[in-house]
């Protein structure tokens, strides 16, 4: 007990000093490892050494907020220790650690009791990073837009990040574009620029791939896509329009620019003025007009009757235009071209002879500048002396792009100095475009209409009237006739250009309404939903509706107004092809006269091919009529069962499913086939009352009848059904053949050729033709259908039944008397009949049936009295006819009734009314 006490006291006296360590330590540990490298090394010193225990280090204690480290004593005697992590450290979670460390000596014994502590030292640990993460871009994709034609320092910047904690591994040191052959480059900071000027027309969009490297040269695992759009340079102008607009015939008004808007590049505007022009000069005569004949158009527009067409289509009756060069075109629009070497003389019977103080000259003309410095006169129409002298009574000519109308009055009309030449100077005369010219003469006032617009002459010159003479005059077209004062009469002052529809109407002038109708275009510009147009928008159409001007102050309202501009074509069968559109725009800015320039744009309207109609005429193609009906007061109706229909096959249906359509016709011609009609003996006739209330007229000649005018197919049917054929002396005529054709749009669409054959039945032919049908032999059974009866008596009304019965009764009495006379005067023939009865099958005389054709009864009695004296002379001839006719009948009839056939001696029509 005493010994222990002494030992303890000894150790207490020996452990006089505290361990000593550095005041601070700095250490480094690499993540994912547990060894810490300290600077200076961890060493504790104790001045009590080498005393056992008291001079030894037993432990290092760490004081901190859950520092993930521990310190271990490597050598207690030397005081060396080691700092290490209790687990793997992650730099991304914490880059640095700071804590307190103390050293403990072993004290008085192995257990470290009564040991001493060193002072507290600060330990600062830095975690070294490992390059374990690859760069990642902040965005999944990048997008930018550039304007063409510029070089950019930076179009956009891409950015990648790295989750590593150290600057070495967390910083991005390099970017690279991996897509090859692109006009772009990227710098170390991720800025992308273009290396050359971009073109919107060449390529409107680029897509490139970009990757990144961190400073530890670790590459991004995924590249990022970058899309760069190339925008055109902001040019003021219209955008959102199509260069071609298809127009389906019959669809009405169609918007031309439904999505168009004006781009001003941000410039404020005070007003916008837009002009839309529809260019149709290459279509027909300047635009899509009705291509009916001149007569049909005049009838349709309500023009005064009595006009003379000086340039009709060449035909047998109008052969003076045959030598001229024509261009009918694909739309059946008759045009005459004059090249300075052609002209036509108008026959005297065509020339209007009664020009008074009022008359109208109208024509379509297309004319350009005349060649040469001093252009000669170019004559459209000229009325001059035929021989001896060279006086121009009236003429219409062009001279130096001036239109001149000359009118020299006779002394019989006026004997004073009066206006004679009227001059107009207009751009239209030499613009090489089609225009409609109308000269209304109300002497001494002369008014010119060009495309429906009136123009007064800028110059009027006076002259004396022409002295009266007996010299005939010559009317010419395309030049002027010089018949006197030259060695050889010739044409002079030739016209160079195109003419169509040249007419003269004496005694009347046309109203402006009719003139406008005659030249009206059937296509033009339109405004869709005009009522919804903003009231601030001002607009104006020209008369032809080919030019539209719109003006407004608000840009959005102007855009909405332009989007309503439409194209319309009211023709049922418009001319297919392109129509050009030209849009010009002028803008004004605030405080400036003009600011930006809006370029013009050009587009086309493509009018598609219309579905072509097929006009079909149907009806009875063969008729048989007795000759007496042709002589009757009403003649015979040729086309009672006529039907005219029109069908069209659309592209979306098969040919077996053609649909019927309704449209107009402009003429139907009834032509006589074979010999022409003999004047005074036969004719085609149509009552004037049949045309009342219709836009139709008719002309008649020995070659046929023409019904013309723009009207419906049903009206044409009604009129044609009333065309009658008369023949006052049919003689030996056996048949007449006719052909009916109809047209729409002046021959653009024509019907089939409907041929009608009319057989003329003479004397016994008519009887046999009818009687074999209505009174067959006894052994034949016929079921009479109502339609058959109607065909047998096409001209007998149902109210005539009583008259027919009475006629039959009277005729039966006459036949009985005739048989009795034959029996008394021809006994040998009776014996012959009896002999035949013995050889052939017995025939029951009681079955004799006599049927009278009620159509032939009318002239029976009169013919019997007139021909009674000639019976004996014609007996031999009648016998021949009878035997010939009998060959077509049954054999029994030929043998048993030879006497009945001779009854025709008493009346030539009896053989038509007796059936056997």
């Amino acid at each position: 007990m005493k010994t222990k006490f002494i030992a303890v006291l000894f150790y207490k006296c020996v452990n006089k000093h505290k361990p000593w360590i550095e005041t601070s330590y700095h250490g480094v540990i690499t993540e994912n490892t547990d060894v810490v490298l300290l600077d200076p090394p961890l060493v504790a010193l104790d001045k009590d050494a080498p005393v056992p225990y008291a001079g030894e280090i037993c432990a290092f204690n760490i004081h901190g907020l859950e520092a993930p480290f521990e310190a271990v004593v490597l050598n207690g005697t030397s005081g060396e220790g080691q700092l290490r992590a209790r687990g793997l450290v992650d730099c991304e979670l914490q880059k640095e650690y700071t804590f307190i460390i103390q050293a403990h000596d072993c004290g008085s014994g192995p257990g470290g009791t009564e040991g001493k502590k060193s002072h507290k030292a600060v330990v600062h640990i830095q975690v070294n990073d490992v390059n374990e993460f690859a760069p990642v871009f902040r965005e999944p994709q990048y997008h930018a837009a550039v304007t063409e034609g510029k070089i950019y320092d930076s179009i956009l910047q891409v950015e990648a990040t790295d989750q590593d904690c150290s600057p070495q591994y967390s910083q991005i040191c390099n970017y690279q574009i991996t897509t090859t052959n692109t006009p772009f480059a990227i710098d170390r900071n991720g800025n992308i620029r273009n290396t050359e000027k971009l073109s919107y027309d060449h390529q409107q969009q680029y897509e490139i791939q970009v990757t990144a490297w961190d400073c530890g040269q670790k590459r991004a695992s995924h590249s990022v896509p970058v899309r760069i759009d190339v925008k055109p340079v902001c040019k003021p102008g219209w955008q959102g329009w199509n260069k071609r607009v298809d127009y389906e015939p019959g669809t009405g008004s169609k918007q031309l620019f439904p999505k168009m808007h004006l781009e001003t590049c941000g410039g404020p505007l005070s007003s916008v003025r837009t002009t839309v022009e529809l260019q149709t000069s290459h279509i027909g005569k300047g635009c899509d007009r009705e291509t009916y004949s001149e007569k049909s158009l005049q009838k349709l527009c309500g023009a005064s009757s009595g006009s003379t067409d000086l340039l009709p289509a060449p035909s047998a009756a109008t052969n003076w235009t045959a030598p001229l060069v024509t261009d009918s075109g694909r739309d059946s629009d008759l045009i005459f071209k004059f090249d300075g070497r052609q002209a036509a003389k108008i026959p005297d019977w065509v020339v209007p002879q009664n020009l008074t103080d009022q008359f109208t000259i109208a024509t379509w003309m297309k004319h350009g500048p005349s060649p040469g410095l001093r252009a000669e006169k170019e004559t459209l129409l000229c009325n001059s002396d035929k021989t001896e002298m060279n006086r121009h009574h009236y003429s219409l000519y062009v001279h130096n792009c001036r239109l001149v109308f000359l009118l020299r009055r006779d002394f019989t009309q006026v004997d004073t100095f009066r206006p004679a030449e009227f001059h107009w100077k207009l751009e239209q005369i030499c613009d090489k475009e089609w225009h409609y010219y109308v000269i209304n003469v109300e002497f001494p006032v002369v008014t010119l209409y060009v495309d429906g617009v009136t123009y007064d002459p800028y110059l009027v010159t006076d002259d004396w009237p022409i002295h009266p003479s007996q010299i005939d005059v010559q009317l010419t077209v395309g030049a002027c006739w010089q018949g006197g004062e030259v060695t050889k009469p010739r044409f002079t002052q030739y016209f160079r250009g195109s003419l169509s529809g040249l007419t003269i109407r004496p005694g009347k002038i046309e109203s402006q309404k009719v003139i406008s109708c005659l030249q009206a275009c059937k296509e033009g510009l339109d405004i869709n939903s005009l009522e919804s147009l903003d009231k601030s928008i001002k607009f104006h159409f020209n008369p032809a509706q080919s030019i539209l001007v719109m003006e407004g102050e608000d840009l959005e309202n102007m855009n909405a107004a332009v989007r309503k501009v439409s194209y319309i074509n009211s023709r049922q069968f418009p001319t297919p092809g392109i129509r050009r559109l030209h849009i010009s725009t002028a803008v004004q800015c605030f405080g400036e006269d003009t600011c930006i320039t809006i370029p013009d744009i050009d587009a086309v309207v493509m009018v598609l091919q219309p579905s072509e109609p097929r006009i079909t005429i149907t009806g009875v193609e063969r008729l048989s009529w007795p000759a007496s009906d042709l002589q009757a007061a009403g003649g015979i109706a040729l086309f009672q069962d006529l039907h005219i229909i029109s069908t069209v096959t659309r592209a979306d249906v098969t040919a077996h499913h053609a649909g019927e359509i309704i449209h107009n016709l402009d003429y139907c011609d009834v032509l006589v086939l074979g010999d022409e009609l003999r004047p005074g003996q036969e004719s085609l006739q149509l009552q004037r009352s049949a045309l009342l209330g219709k836009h139709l007229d008719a002309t008649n000649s020995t070659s046929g009848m023409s019904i013309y005018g723009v009207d419906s197919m049903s009206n044409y049917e009604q009129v044609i059904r009333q065309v009658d054929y008369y023949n006052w002396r049919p003689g030996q005529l056996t048949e007449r053949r006719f052909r009916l054709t109809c047209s729409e749009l002046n021959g653009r669409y024509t019907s089939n050729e409907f041929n009608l054959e009319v057989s003329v039945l003479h004397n016994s032919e008519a009887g046999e033709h009818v009687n074999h049908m209505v009174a067959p032999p006894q052994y034949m059974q016929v079921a009479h259908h109502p339609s058959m009866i109607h065909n047998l008596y096409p001209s007998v009304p149902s109210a005539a039944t009583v008259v027919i019965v009475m006629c039959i009764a009277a005729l039966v009495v006459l036949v009985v008397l005739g048989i009795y006379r034959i029996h008394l005067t021809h006994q040998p023939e009776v014996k012959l009949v009896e002999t035949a009865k013995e050889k052939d099958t017995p025939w029951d005389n009681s079955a004799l049936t006599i049927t009278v054709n009620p159509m032939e009864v009318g002239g029976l009695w009169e013919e019997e009295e007139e021909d009674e004296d000639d019976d004996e002379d014609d007996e031999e001839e009648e016998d021949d006819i009878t035997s010939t006719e009998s060959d077509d009948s049954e054999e029994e009839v030929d043998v048993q009734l030879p006497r009945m056939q001779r009854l025709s001696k008493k009346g030539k029509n009896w053989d038509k009314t007796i059936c056997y």
Side-chain angles (χ1 to χ4, degrees), residues 78-79 90 99 156 251 318 352 528 607 622 691 741-742:
S78 62
D90 191 344
F99 52 87
L156 79 161
T251 56
T318 58
N528 193 23
V607 179
R622 290 181 178 83
L691 304 176
T741 57
C742 293

Side-chain angles (χ1 to χ4, degrees), residues 390-617:
N390 188 29
R391 299 175 302 175
H392 294 184
H393 296 262
Y394 63 87
S395 66
L396 181 64
Y397 62 90
V398 175
H399 188 210
N400 289 326
C401 291
R402 291 167 173 81
L403 185 67
V404 182
F405 177 63
L406 170 69
L407 180 61
R408 299 284 302 278
R409 312 307 301 272
D410 294 338
F411 258 110
T412 57
Q413 296 173 311
V414 65
D415 58 356
T416 60
F417 208 55
R418 299 301 297 272
E421 276 191 343
F422 304 83
H423 301 249
W424 294 271
K425 185 178 181 181
L426 304 172
E427 294 180 357
Q428 294 93 322
I429 297 173
C430 288
D431 65 356
K432 297 183 180 180
E433 303 290 347
W434 279 106
H435 299 285
Y436 188 56
Y437 299 82
V438 178
I439 295 179
N440 272 351
V441 178
E442 287 183 290
F443 194 82
V445 178
V446 177
T447 304
L448 172 67
Y449 291 84
V450 180
D451 298 333
V453 180
T454 59
Y455 295 92
D456 294 327
Y458 79 94
L459 175 65
V460 178
T461 59
D462 297 342
D463 203 347
W464 290 102
I466 294 179
H467 293 280
S469 67
Q470 300 299 319
I471 302 175
D472 292 334
V473 294
Q474 177 66 61
L475 183 63
T476 56
V477 174
C480 203
W481 179 252
Q482 187 174 2
E485 302 177 359
V486 290
T487 57
K488 182 180 179 181
R490 61 185 176 87
F491 283 111
T492 185
Q493 300 176 4
Y494 283 97
F495 177 71
R496 294 176 178 85
S498 299
L499 297 176
S500 179
L502 177 57
T503 61
I504 295 182
R505 178 174 288 101
K508 293 182 180 180
I509 62 172
E510 287 299 357
S511 65
Q512 188 166 7
K513 180 180 178 181
V514 171
I515 294 172
S516 298
C517 175
L518 290 172
Q519 61 86 40
C521 289
K522 295 300 181 181
E523 63 179 340
L525 298 174
D526 190 23
I527 297 179
N528 193 23
S529 301
L530 181 60
E531 65 279 357
S532 62
L533 189 67
D534 191 88
K535 295 181 179 180
S536 64
I537 301 298
K538 301 176 183 179
F539 66 92
H540 172 72
F541 285 101
N542 69 332
Q545 284 193 223
S546 60
I547 298 177
L548 169 61
V549 180
M550 308 182 79
E551 187 172 0
E553 297 179 355
D554 184 78
L555 181 60
E556 290 304 319
N557 288 339
M558 274 298 295
N559 286 335
V562 173
R563 286 194 285 266
K564 292 180 180 294
V565 177
S566 305
Y567 169 81
I568 187 171
N569 194 316
S570 60
R571 295 189 66 191
Q572 190 172 10
F573 306 107
T575 303
I578 64 172
R579 276 77 163 157
R580 304 188 187 280
L581 288 168
H582 183 77
I583 297 94
S584 58
T585 304
V587 299
Q588 288 186 343
C589 295
F590 293 99
E592 300 180 21
D593 293 336
T594 59
C595 45
I596 59 177
T597 301
I598 307 298
D600 296 351
I601 63 174
D602 293 290
V604 296
V605 177
M606 176 60 72
V607 179
L608 304 180
Q609 180 74 35
S611 300
E612 298 190 357
R614 181 180 181 182
I615 306 170
T616 305
I617 303 176

